Amino acid sequence: MSIKNSVNTTPKLVIPTDTLDRTFSIAPMLDWTDRHYRYFARLMSSKALLYTEMITTGAILQGKGDYLAYNEQEHPVALQLGGSNAVDLAACAKLAAERGYDEVNLNVGCPSDRVQNGRFGACLMAEPALVAQCVDAMKQVTDIPITVKTRIGIDEQDSYQFLTDFIETVSAQGCSAFTIHARKAWLQGLSPKENREIPPLDYDRVYQLKRDYQHLNISINGGIKTLEESKLHLALLDGVMVGREAYQNPYILAQVDQQLCGLDTAVITRQQVIEQMLPYIEAHLAQGGRLNHITRHMIGLFQGLPGSRGWRRHLSENAHKPNADIGVVLKAAEFVDAEALASDESTLI
């Protein structure tokens, strides 16, 4: 049994702006949403819009690795860029389009000190004219969507007027889709982890933004854990972006297509997910990769079910070993209750 596992190196027909479905997306997460996780996630949802980890313009333009590599099966997939130099961002956006990415997203939400020192991330909310310039530069060199992920405010600049001034300035240069993390960011005094938890969520502000700017595509991010919650947001907004929950409890993706996107398709079982991952894993190992590069993303597949602890423990203790192969995955699956393994009933998010 084999599957195509080559990274994309040639242009493809991109999805036009007006047909890119942003109903449900998985947030870009550093060290988490790499191409192995995205392939894994795609098995469970054909409709979820996947994002890369944030990749800086410097890494793409000066780095030694191929930071734009991805698997063709990941589509639709968006590249999230970190940077504030319009020329560099335009160069990266052009490369992304040539490599077949379906969207380029500019990070205006990350609050870490390292990101601020590079003059990108959430601190750019204070410079809407610069963000608009960057968006315009990227749009000049590509036809794929250029979007922005941002916060509702930063530090003491957290009024609704501050947010709308930012949105109006940036959208005037052709950005028609925004993902709003419904928390403000404290640029000093809080760690990135604390900035995901301590500033209070303000969903109503995002709802108001959509009411006031109905011509824009507005997605919401922050604290969303269930499909039922997602449905409530989607009644008022264009899209929902889920982060940590989609990573730590990945089988929540198994009913996104059916529950949120209206597809009349069978729900993939956990057993089928494992079976479909095996040839992908074998191809990765044949290319010199390590088993744990992939299985670290699969640890939460049985979250909350009988045997999940044994599954996690066996993968954690064995997948990193030299010469570890798919036998480790098959053995780990033996710890899981047979009924749970074959279940197609997802815990709804």
Side-chain angles (χ1 to χ4, degrees), residues 172-183:
Q173 293 302 318
C175 180
S176 61
F178 294 83
T179 299
I180 312 295
H181 187 153
R183 289 184 174 95

Side-chain angles (χ1 to χ4, degrees), residues 33-334:
T33 53
D34 64 15
R35 65 188 181 93
H36 300 311
Y37 171 77
R38 297 194 303 268
Y39 184 94
F40 174 54
R42 179 60 69 218
L43 293 179
M44 291 174 279
S45 171
S46 67
K47 298 290 289 183
L49 176 57
L50 306 179
Y51 283 81
T52 68
E53 305 164 88
M54 182 191 70
I55 306 174
T56 66
T57 55
I60 294 171
L61 298 176
Q62 284 95 41
K64 295 181 180 179
D66 183 1
Y67 290 91
L68 297 181
Y70 68 95
N71 291 283
E72 187 69 25
Q73 294 90 338
E74 293 174 31
H75 290 291
V77 59
L79 170 68
Q80 190 186 61
L81 287 174
S84 59
N85 181 292
V87 173
D88 290 347
L89 284 166
C92 291
K94 188 173 186 294
L95 288 172
E98 291 171 350
R99 294 291 290 272
Y101 279 90
D102 300 299
E103 174 189 306
V104 171
N105 178 267
L106 181 62
N107 184 315
V108 189
C110 182
S112 77
D113 292 339
R114 181 171 62 86
V115 165
Q116 291 180 58
N117 291 336
R119 199 188 177 197
F120 55 93
C123 64
L124 287 177
M125 279 202 81
E127 301 184 75
L130 175 59
V131 175
Q133 179 187 4
C134 291
V135 166
D136 180 59
M138 289 187 281
K139 287 189 70 66
Q140 293 296 325
V141 297
T142 179
D143 292 329
I144 64 175
I146 305 297
T147 68
V148 169
K149 185 176 188 291
T150 189
R151 296 269 184 148
I152 58 173
I154 50 173
D155 298 331
E156 301 300 336
Q157 297 174 290
D158 61 353
S159 68
Y160 184 64
Q161 184 67 51
F162 174 75
L163 176 60
T164 57
D165 286 347
F166 176 85
I167 296 296
E168 288 183 7
T169 301
V170 177
S171 64
Q173 293 302 318
C175 180
S176 61
F178 294 83
T179 299
I180 312 295
H181 187 153
R183 289 184 174 95
K184 75 172 182 179
W186 285 103
L187 300 182
Q188 302 293 331
L190 293 183
S191 69
K193 181 178 185 297
E194 290 170 330
N195 260 303
R196 292 193 298 267
E197 299 170 351
I198 292 177
L201 288 161
D202 190 348
Y203 293 145
D204 287 338
R205 183 166 297 192
V206 185
Y207 299 157
Q208 185 63 50
L209 193 67
K210 178 60 185 178
R211 287 194 292 268
D212 292 341
Y213 299 91
Q214 295 185 27
H215 63 291
L216 298 178
N217 185 291
I218 304 293
S219 296
I220 194 167
N221 172 232
I224 302 167
K225 294 182 180 296
T226 72
L227 284 184
E228 293 306 316
E229 291 174 27
S230 299
K231 291 176 183 177
L232 293 175
H233 290 302
L234 289 171
L236 300 170
L237 299 165
D238 301 297
V240 169
M241 175 179 279
V242 176
R244 286 168 289 167
E245 191 69 17
Y247 186 89
Q248 295 168 347
N249 184 20
Y251 193 64
I252 61 176
L253 303 175
Q255 289 193 32
V256 164
D257 293 0
Q258 297 80 5
Q259 293 288 328
L260 302 183
C261 301
L263 295 190
D264 184 17
T265 54
V267 175
I268 191 171
T269 68
R270 294 173 176 87
Q271 182 171 352
Q272 290 170 333
V273 172
I274 294 173
E275 289 172 350
Q276 292 184 36
M277 282 300 296
L278 293 180
Y280 178 86
I281 293 171
E282 288 182 315
H284 175 68
L285 297 177
Q287 295 166 4
R290 299 288 294 270
L291 179 65
N292 65 324
H293 293 166
I294 297 174
T295 56
R296 71 187 184 97
H297 302 304
M298 300 172 62
I299 284 177
L301 183 60
F302 297 95
Q303 182 82 3
L305 294 181
S308 61
R309 182 176 297 180
W311 162 266
R312 291 195 307 269
R313 183 174 60 247
H314 191 77
L315 290 181
S316 298
E317 293 177 354
N318 296 282
H320 68 282
K321 295 179 179 178
N323 302 317
D325 58 19
I326 62 170
V328 172
V329 180
L330 296 174
K331 180 63 177 178
E334 293 179 5

